[in-house]
Amino acid sequence: MSLFESDKSAQRLPVSLITGFLGSGKTTLLNRLLRHDDMKDSAVIINEYGEVSLDHLLVERVDGEVAVLASGCICCTIRSDLEQTLRDLLVKRDRGEIPPFRRILVETTGLADPAPIVQLLLNNPLVSHFLRLDTVVTTVDAVNAPHQLDRQYEAVKQVALADRLLITKSDLVEDIAALELRLRRLNPGARIESVSHGEIDPAQLFGAGLIDPEKKRIDVARWLNEHAFTEPHAHAAHAHHDHHAHHDHDRDHHDHDASIASFMLAFDEPLDWMAVTHWLAHLRNARGQDLLRVKGILDLRDEPAPIVIHGVHHVFHPPVALSGWPDSDRRSRIVFITRGIARADVLELWEAVRAAA
């Protein structure tokens, strides 16, 4: 009998997070998305109606906090905390007070750290029983991003945590190749798209979670995107510098970017769960703030099915068992995006824990 609960994410509503720095085009993106037929059964959570120019889409206020948009989507504001807002939405839907919806989009403020929202979806029992994290989308302003990434660690973190990176305003700059390269070094696993005026097919944007929404099945390859981490540029973000960028902020650029490392560890032999638990617990306790995102699929001794782990900082989703291996590759594979933690350090700790076990 397995120690692990089976994965039930297919039965839970997908929640996607739209984050990005001030003025990077989050609201433009939302307005465009909500005009797509595929998005008509969405609930959108924003910070304030007044700050967000969705007003022309508003047709009916249900109460002080919820409105129905012209597109048929539900829109509500975060009045207290996000957990309460999510739970209220689900209750109102179940009571028939608002139209049903099949997905939730959360737009953060420009300076927001997306990590606490991801943590809420990963490991808050009152939320994660009904909802699952689908996609973290970060909008990146082609004009201002180089400066923001140099100056603001929040901007770097929004990039590092993303599943999808959308470069906006690319028509206002001559060349986005250097920016694309920088983003790829910070987060090799994220898909990068260039968008004009927020126009993108929702099918390209969402569906980055473990569940393939179209086929209703687990898609580990897409979720881990491990091939991105086996390419040379991914092994050590800090080993690369853009020598063409000679400007006053060069030192800052290198300070921020050099601290972010993205790498994958793969193990051919089945792992001992107690050793894995102690290893991750040690990393979380000692360096939780610097574990930006960890996700992996594990082949454990005495477990017939693969086990999935997923965490941000010190908060991890309870490990779950998949129904079976998706293909013939049964290696354990774990992707890390860290700040100031090198691949060699993580491996060294694993060897020490395994030897002690």
Side-chain angles (χ1 to χ4, degrees):
M1 185 176 156
S2 176
L3 291 168
F4 303 96
E5 184 184 335
S6 61
D7 179 61
K8 295 186 174 66
S9 51
Q11 300 154 26
R12 293 168 182 164
L13 278 188
V15 181
S16 293
L17 189 58
I18 297 175
T19 187
F21 228 66
L22 295 161
S24 62
K26 297 188 297 293
T27 304
T28 304
L29 174 68
L30 258 183
N31 274 320
R32 290 285 184 171
L33 284 171
L34 298 181
R35 291 194 177 100
H36 281 265
D37 285 345
D38 296 350
M39 301 297 290
K40 282 184 175 166
D41 47 6
S42 301
V44 187
I45 298 176
I46 57 178
N47 281 282
E48 284 294 338
Y49 290 128
E51 292 173 18
V52 177
S53 55
L54 291 173
D55 292 338
H56 64 287
L57 293 173
L58 295 176
V59 290
E60 178 196 347
R61 286 281 178 100
V62 177
D63 59 28
E65 295 176 21
V66 181
V68 180
L69 305 183
S71 61
C73 299
I74 311 301
C75 185
C76 76
T77 53
I78 301 174
R79 291 288 185 203
S80 51
D81 62 355
L82 180 61
E83 179 191 335
Q84 191 61 48
T85 303
L86 288 166
R87 287 162 60 191
D88 287 349
L89 261 185
L90 293 170
V91 167
K92 285 174 180 168
R93 181 197 64 170
D94 293 345
R95 287 179 183 160
E97 294 171 13
I98 56 175
F101 50 87
R102 287 196 310 158
R103 76 181 62 75
I104 300 175
L105 310 178
V106 180
E107 183 190 1
T108 71
T109 60
L111 289 166
D113 176 356
I117 302 177
V118 176
Q119 291 173 334
L120 175 74
L121 295 166
L122 289 181
N123 202 8
N124 180 308
L126 294 172
V127 171
S128 58
H129 185 74
F130 304 100
L131 306 172
R132 64 176 168 87
L133 177 66
D134 180 70
T135 309
V136 179
V137 177
T138 298
T139 50
V140 179
D141 172 348
V143 177
N144 297 304
H147 179 74
Q148 289 162 350
L149 290 167
D150 290 348
R151 294 290 185 186
Q152 302 279 350
Y153 174 61
E154 293 83 1
V156 173
K157 192 170 177 184
Q158 287 171 353
V159 168
L161 281 173
D163 300 298
R164 304 276 187 262
L165 293 167
L166 297 191
I167 299 178
T168 62
K169 306 183 189 176
S170 55
D171 54 323
L172 301 180
V173 296
E174 272 185 45
D175 185 14
I176 60 168
L179 177 60
E180 277 194 21
L181 182 64
R182 189 171 179 182
L183 297 178
R184 197 158 274 123
R185 286 172 182 163
L186 287 169
N187 186 346
R191 187 198 293 166
I192 301 174
E193 305 272 359
S194 184
V195 297
S196 178
H197 307 294
E199 193 55 69
I200 187 169
D201 181 349
Q204 276 184 281
L205 192 59
F206 302 116
L210 198 54
I211 294 290
D212 181 331
E214 295 300 314
K215 298 170 185 164
K216 301 292 183 202
R217 64 175 177 79
I218 298 289
D219 191 338
V220 172
R222 187 197 55 187
W223 182 63
L224 277 184
N225 194 11
E226 65 182 89
H227 299 296
F229 294 87
T230 55
E231 290 164 15
H233 67 256
H235 282 304
H238 56 270
H240 301 270
H241 296 303
D242 183 358
H243 293 295
H244 303 290
H246 295 296
H247 53 73
D248 295 340
H249 311 309
D250 211 32
R251 184 178 53 78
D252 295 327
H253 169 157
H254 293 295
D255 285 351
H256 275 322
D257 290 22
S259 69
I260 305 296
S262 309
F263 52 89
M264 185 188 79
L265 301 181
F267 304 91
D268 295 327
E269 299 298 316
L271 304 179
D272 175 74
W273 176 237
M274 288 307 293
V276 172
T277 303
H278 288 143
W279 174 47
L280 293 177
H282 189 91
L283 278 172
R284 284 151 65 180
N285 292 336
R287 300 293 301 273
Q289 277 306 105
D290 298 320
L291 282 181
L292 299 186
R293 201 164 181 187
V294 178
K295 51 186 181 179
I297 180 169
L298 306 179
D299 177 20
L300 299 180
R301 277 185 217 142
D302 305 320
E303 282 293 331
I307 304 303
V308 169
I309 58 169
H310 189 186
V312 168
H313 293 318
H314 58 282
V315 174
F316 273 58
H317 190 288
V320 291
L322 302 183
S323 56
W325 285 91
D327 53 38
S328 58
D329 187 353
R330 298 204 164 194
R331 295 172 306 143
S332 296
R333 287 150 281 163
I334 309 174
V335 165
F336 289 86
I337 298 181
T338 67
R339 178 174 68 161
I341 309 176
R343 186 176 193 271
D345 298 337
V346 177
L347 261 179
E348 187 181 330
L349 178 62
W350 165 249
E351 294 299 342
V353 167
R354 195 174 62 162

